[in-house]
Amino acid sequence: GENVEQHPSTLSVQEGDSAVIKCTYSDSASNYFPWYKQELGKRPQLIIDIRSNVGEKKDQRIAVTLNKTAKHFSLHITETQPEDSAVYFCAASARSASKIIFGSGTRLSIRP
Amino acid sequence: DTEVTQTPKHLVMGMTNKKSLKCEQHMGHRAMYWYKQKAKKPPELMFVYSYEKLSINESVPSRFSPECPNSSLLNLHLHALQPEDSALYLCASSQELTGGVDEQFFGPGTRLTVL
């Protein structure tokens, strides 16, 4: 079955700098890659997702890149702000599957 | 309405109690999910319902019993739980599963403590 690995587990960046979180997946049939943000005590919320027919997607300060050959995908947050502090989860899902497989999470802290 | 709601927000129960968690969505979604989340861990899938039928049971112990009375409601019945079952229980929904998973919308969760 699918296995998703996520790095780093914790990340601290200066406010205004960029943050990058990386994930790898094992199932070459995976075609949907969402990223969820979970603030302390809150529900996970989708912040961006990408499908395997595109290599990059941007939404304001957030971008996701996908390398299908290497089975890597990454989240890029630019001009980080205090409200970006949260746990971020990557995930992957195959077209034939009825579930998404989560990575282990990255705790992002933004230093003022 | 673009939200998934869950009740109760908090639940404390003894190991001999029977309780139920409730989840509701009015987005017309036909796939609904139960997840269990321990502190500092990702959500762990328990059950998936598609068109009100159970499609995935991730080998969950029988002390957890899901029920989908209609397309908007999802329940999780709890009986004879153990202290290690204490966790945040999240419900989620997505449009449908034909052609694969789409965006999942999560509820706020029920924080369960088993004494």
Side-chain angles (χ1 to χ4, degrees):
Chain A
E2 176 65 279
N3 182 48
V4 178
E5 296 196 358
Q6 183 171 347
H7 300 281
S9 56
T10 60
L11 180 60
S12 178
V13 301
Q14 195 74 36
E15 184 178 350
D17 287 352
S18 295
V20 180
I21 302 171
K22 298 184 179 184
C23 290
T24 61
Y25 61 98
S26 61
D27 187 353
S28 56
S30 287
N31 68 336
Y32 176 61
F33 305 93
W35 285 88
Y36 284 86
K37 174 184 180 182
Q38 188 173 26
E39 297 177 60
L40 191 62
K42 300 276 184 71
R43 72 188 82 190
Q45 290 201 294
L46 183 78
I47 55 170
I48 195 166
D49 57 10
I50 192 168
R51 294 195 181 269
S52 58
N53 56 346
V54 297
E56 184 174 359
K57 185 175 177 181
K58 270 185 114 171
D59 183 3
Q60 299 183 346
R61 296 185 297 108
I62 293 173
V64 57
T65 58
L66 171 64
N67 182 329
K68 284 188 294 183
T69 304
K71 295 186 200 161
H72 288 173
F73 58 114
S74 300
L75 178 72
H76 304 253
I77 306 174
T78 58
E79 300 170 17
T80 52
Q81 300 168 4
E83 54 265 35
D84 295 329
S85 293
V87 178
Y88 291 80
F89 294 103
C90 64
S93 179
R95 173 171 286 275
S96 60
S98 302
K99 60 185 180 181
I100 60 174
I101 305 300
F102 284 92
S104 53
T106 297
R107 182 170 298 278
L108 175 62
S109 301
I110 308 301
R111 302 190 305 270
Chain B
D1 188 351
T2 57
E3 269 211 331
V4 177
T5 59
Q6 288 185 245
T7 55
K9 287 185 180 179
H10 301 275
L11 178 61
V12 179
M13 60 187 290
M15 290 190 284
T16 58
N17 291 158
K18 283 186 184 181
K19 296 286 184 184
S20 296
L21 309 185
K22 296 187 184 302
C23 173
E24 192 165 2
Q25 57 87 15
H26 294 287
M27 295 179 278
H29 289 173
R30 303 314 299 267
M32 296 186 77
Y33 312 77
W34 279 115
Y35 288 89
K36 173 183 177 181
Q37 188 177 28
K38 293 280 215 179
K40 300 184 180 181
K41 296 289 187 184
E44 179 186 340
L45 184 67
M46 300 174 72
F47 302 103
V48 180
Y49 273 83
S50 178
Y51 289 88
E52 297 151 56
K53 289 190 178 357
L54 183 66
S55 64
I56 294 180
N57 175 342
E58 292 285 298
S59 303
V60 179
S62 60
R63 57 186 185 268
F64 295 91
S65 175
E67 178 196 20
C68 190
N70 60 54
S71 59
S72 301
L73 292 173
L74 187 64
N75 298 323
L76 186 62
H77 303 297
L78 314 173
H79 173 53
L81 294 194
Q82 304 296 309
E84 59 264 29
D85 296 322
S86 298
L88 180 69
Y89 287 83
L90 291 161
C91 173
S93 70
S94 64
Q95 284 209 331
E96 60 172 22
L97 295 174
T98 307
V101 176
D102 206 341
E103 177 181 357
Q104 292 189 8
F105 293 78
F106 283 85
T110 293
R111 176 75 58 191
L112 174 67
T113 302
V114 182
L115 301 175

